[in-house]
Each structure stands twice: as C-alpha cells, then as structure tokens.
Amino acid sequence: NLYYIKKLFFYLIIKFIMKKEITLLAISMFVATGINAQQELTVTHTTAGAMEAEINAALGTTGAEEIQTLIINGDANVTYEDCSAIAAKFPTISLKKLDLGTAKFENDSTPGNKEGASTGAFDIKGNGMQVEEVVLPAGLKVIGPRTFRKFSKMKKINLPNTLVKLGEGCFTGCGSLDLEKLPEGLKTIEGYVFYQAYAMKSLEELPAGLEGVLGALSFAQTSVAISYIPEGITEIGSSAFNANTRPVSLTSLTMYEKLAKIGSNAFKNQKMLNDIELNRMTPPETTEDAFTGIELGKVILYIPKGSRAAYEAVAPWNQMDIYDVLEPPTGIENTEITAIGIYPNPVVNTISISVQDAAIIKSIKIIDLAGTVVKNLHPEGTLTFDVSDLVNGMYFLQLNDDTTVKFIKK
C-alpha cells in the first residue's frame, strides 16, 4: 500500500510540474506574440508640434525600446520639433527603420537645422538616430540642411525622383551609406552633403542636370568613382573630392566650358587621377593647391586646340602633360550628332558607337595623343568596328570631323 501511495504522490507532482510548464510556456508565447505585434508602431500625426504626445498615445504601456519599425503618417506637417521628439523617444539601436513614406512635410522639404546650429532635426546629443533604414515620401523635393546628419548606421534610404536639392550636410557622417545613383532631376548639391560618408563607393555618375556650385566638401572622404562633372556646374567647391586618407577612386575626369572656378584642395590626394579632359579655351580660376598630393607631371591634360598658351601660363595646369587635341567648344555648334555613346570603354577588340541617328555619321577617324589619324573607319551599315590592331593607350574617336569622344584601348 505504501508503494502505491508513493507512486501516486510522484505522479501528482509530475502532473503539477508539467501543467505549470505548459502554463509558463503559454504565457511566454503570449508575451512574445505581444512583443512581435508591437515591434512595428504606427503614429498618426494630426497636429504639428504634437509628435511626442502622439507617440506616447500610440505606445500605451509598451516600451519604446521594443519598437523596431516606426511609421509616421497623418495629415499634419512633420516639423523640426516633431523630428526632435522622434529622436528623443527612440535614441537607441533598437529602432531599425524609420518610415516617413506617408508623412507630410511643409513645401515638400524635410526640416533643416535651426539657424546657427550645427546639428539637425533628428539630433541626439550631437549625433543622429541609429536606424539602418529610412523611407522618404514620394514627391519630396528638398532634403533640408543636416536632416540626417550622423545617421551613422543608416545603410539604406530611398531618394525620390522628385528631389531637386540636397541641403548642406544632410548626410554628413552617414558612414554606412553607399548610394549607387542620385535622382536624375537633382539640381543642387550643397556643401558637406556626403562628407565622411565613408562607405560611399558605388556612385559612378552625377546627375546630368546639376548646376551652379558643387558644394565644398560635398564628397570629401568618400570613394565615389565619378568620371565627369556635369556641364551645368560653374564651380567646384573647396575640398569637394578631398580623399584625405580614404581609398582614392578618381582616375579620369571630364569637365566642361561653364566651369569657371575650382576651389582649394578640391581633388586633394586623388592619387590615381591619370587624365583630365577640360573643354574650355581658358583655364578655370584654380588655386595652386587644388590637386595637392597628386603627381601632376604624370597627369595628362586634354584641352581644346588653340588653348595651349593659356594653360601653360598658369599653375597648376602648366605642371601637367598637356595635349591640345580637343575640338574648341565653339567648333561643334553646328553638329547634328547628339547622345553619343561608346562601348565598351575601355575596349579590347571591338568597339561600338551609339548615336541617336546613325544615318548622319559620314566619317569616323581614330586619332592618337599626338594628333595623328591612325585609323579611318567606314560606317557602312554598321557602327561596330575591330580595333584590336591598335596599340594600348588613349585615343580620340572623331565623327564627321567635328565631334570628338575619348576612349581607351587595353
């Protein structure tokens, strides 16, 4: 009897433990489900300047540290004070994504910094928020000064095609950000925009419609690999492409007639820069330290025919290896050839020419750096040609005796 009593006793104890574990498991699953449900928080913004109260109401009893995605929507404009409230409520790395895709901004512009302040709207004691992704609304036209300053962990942000201006320092210190492309409609890049965006290396082309001043330090301490400055740029600001100690990336650079000024240290330490094509009859106003850290004697400078004397008269241009082989900018005003493309470039064996209207191509010449015609091509039903017999080096492809495009044979 005692044996059966003991057996019954242990059976009841085991049942109790199992029941308790099941209960605890159920509670745990419920709590976990509740946290998962709260990892995404939507705040409906109805009153400008009231973001703090609206966030608190949306959170209820949930801690801000449990939220991973924050979505801001509503009809009220998101103000500087609203941005500050968001940053103050979510200062840690727990928040991974800030979704402003359905938010409203006055004049389609994110709030800039307060007058005289070096910090931005989302400032947290001198730093930005620690999110990894930001979503911007379609239709946004301007990213205000310092808006996303020091969002050091941000790896992803969508830049709407409607953007026309990147305000001063709007991505300064975004050390994890690497953009492959900027919006085609972009007109203005102010100073410090991508300063110390250390991961920036995939950008190979600036929007063709950029105009005016390319801001000081706009791409300083990045590794962007652009090959031309858009035709509408009139000035390259000081230290715009100052590599400092970052891996250098510029190897070949084309600049155009409207460029009137290049600032101090604009291309400092871009030690891989091999050649510059400058389509101006007179050199732009340039400080002698614009190319500091570059062995200028090894840089080939291509300039228009008839402009050699002007370039040989001033530093730093007279320190470069000058070839006056380009057609003067005024010499192509009657050409009908537009939208020229050469691919691949560099070329190994076969080169193809892409133009808007192939029928207007009557003659094609390949010219070497000495100005000698080394090959005449015949555009008879094709614009693809074998150039495997060329010696490796730099050449110019001249179409109809008035339009010249540079290419490299490898």
Side-chain angles (χ1 to χ4, degrees):
N1 290 338
L2 183 60
Y3 169 81
Y4 290 109
I5 291 172
K6 288 180 178 180
K7 192 172 182 179
L8 177 62
F9 177 76
F10 285 116
Y11 172 78
L12 292 173
I13 289 175
I14 291 169
K15 287 281 287 182
F16 174 80
I17 292 172
M18 289 180 67
K19 184 176 181 181
K20 188 172 183 179
E21 285 181 347
I22 291 170
T23 302
L24 288 173
L25 179 61
I27 293 171
S28 176
M29 289 177 66
F30 174 80
V31 171
T33 302
I35 292 174
N36 285 334
Q38 291 295 333
Q39 285 177 344
E40 182 178 287
L41 180 72
T42 298
V43 177
T44 301
H45 184 48
T46 58
T47 305
M51 185 67 73
E52 181 180 3
E54 291 167 343
I55 291 174
N56 289 334
L59 280 171
T61 59
T62 304
E65 68 280 358
E66 297 178 34
I67 306 302
Q68 293 188 3
T69 298
L70 177 64
I71 301 171
I72 306 295
N73 62 25
D75 294 328
N77 287 327
V78 177
T79 65
Y80 179 96
E81 290 71 24
D82 292 324
C83 294
S84 298
I86 292 171
K89 200 67 179 180
F90 299 94
T92 69
I93 60 173
S94 300
L95 188 68
K96 304 296 184 186
K97 181 176 180 179
L98 176 60
D99 189 341
L100 303 170
T102 51
K104 300 289 191 301
F105 293 97
E106 186 176 2
N107 298 322
D108 294 316
S109 173
T110 63
N113 58 310
K114 291 289 189 181
E115 187 174 352
S118 62
T119 54
F122 290 101
D123 176 63
I124 304 172
K125 297 180 179 179
N127 291 301
M129 296 180 70
Q130 300 299 296
V131 297
E132 296 178 3
E133 180 180 356
V134 172
V135 179
L136 297 176
L140 193 70
K141 295 178 180 177
V142 177
I143 297 181
R146 299 177 175 83
T147 297
F148 300 108
R149 177 183 178 272
K150 290 192 175 182
F151 273 48
S152 60
K153 296 186 182 300
M154 181 172 65
K155 298 178 181 179
K156 184 178 180 182
I157 184 169
N158 66 307
L159 297 182
N161 290 329
T162 50
L163 275 177
V164 295
K165 180 179 179 180
L166 297 179
E168 182 176 286
C170 62
F171 294 115
T172 288
C174 294
S176 301
L177 184 63
D178 184 20
L179 298 174
E180 294 183 0
K181 189 176 181 181
L182 297 177
E184 286 298 325
L186 197 62
K187 298 293 184 184
T188 304
I189 296 178
E190 293 190 340
Y192 295 83
V193 167
F194 294 106
Y195 176 53
Q196 294 184 339
Y198 299 125
M200 283 277 287
K201 60 184 179 184
S202 299
L203 185 67
E204 296 181 351
E205 186 175 287
L206 295 178
L210 281 180
E211 57 190 23
V213 178
L214 186 62
L217 289 126
S218 48
F219 291 93
Q221 297 189 41
T222 69
S223 297
V224 296
I226 66 163
S227 59
Y228 80 98
I229 302 297
E231 293 189 47
I233 294 296
T234 58
E235 179 180 342
I236 299 174
S238 299
S239 291
F241 295 96
N242 185 339
N244 199 2
T245 58
R246 303 303 302 169
V248 295
S249 53
L250 302 184
T251 58
S252 180
L253 194 61
T254 299
M255 297 180 282
Y256 294 95
E257 187 177 10
K258 290 182 179 179
L259 181 64
K261 184 176 182 180
I262 299 177
S264 174
N265 293 313
F267 298 99
K268 182 179 179 180
N269 285 346
Q270 291 289 348
K271 298 179 181 180
M272 297 296 289
L273 188 60
N274 296 319
D275 64 272
I276 298 172
E277 180 179 319
L278 191 42
N279 294 277
R280 276 181 59 92
M281 292 303 294
T282 57
E285 178 187 339
T286 309
T287 60
E288 291 193 32
D289 63 355
F291 299 94
T292 295
I294 301 173
E295 196 171 346
L296 294 181
K298 294 183 177 180
V299 176
I300 299 173
L301 175 63
Y302 303 105
I303 56 175
K305 297 172 184 176
S307 65
R308 176 180 285 271
Y311 282 88
E312 287 183 339
V314 293
W317 308 107
N318 58 7
Q319 300 169 39
M320 301 179 188
D321 191 7
I322 299 176
Y323 289 83
D324 51 340
V325 294
L326 303 178
E327 293 299 325
T330 55
I332 61 171
E333 60 186 20
N334 294 321
T335 181
E336 299 177 78
I337 302 174
T338 58
I340 307 168
I342 293 180
Y343 59 93
N345 190 7
V347 58
V348 177
N349 295 313
T350 303
I351 192 168
S352 295
I353 304 169
S354 172
V355 292
Q356 195 169 34
D357 183 4
I360 66 174
I361 304 298
K362 304 303 181 185
S363 68
I364 303 173
K365 298 175 183 177
I366 295 180
I367 303 170
D368 65 15
L369 294 179
T372 303
V373 177
V374 296
K375 200 175 184 72
N376 282 290
L377 305 177
H378 305 286
E380 297 172 356
T382 180
L383 290 179
T384 297
F385 305 96
D386 181 10
V387 293
S388 59
D389 56 333
L390 293 178
V391 176
N392 291 353
M394 188 82 68
Y395 294 89
F396 294 93
L397 198 70
Q398 189 176 75
L399 284 66
N400 291 359
D401 294 326
D402 63 4
T403 301
T404 305
V405 185
K406 179 177 63 178
F407 75 95
I408 299 171
K409 168 66 170 63
K410 293 181 68 175

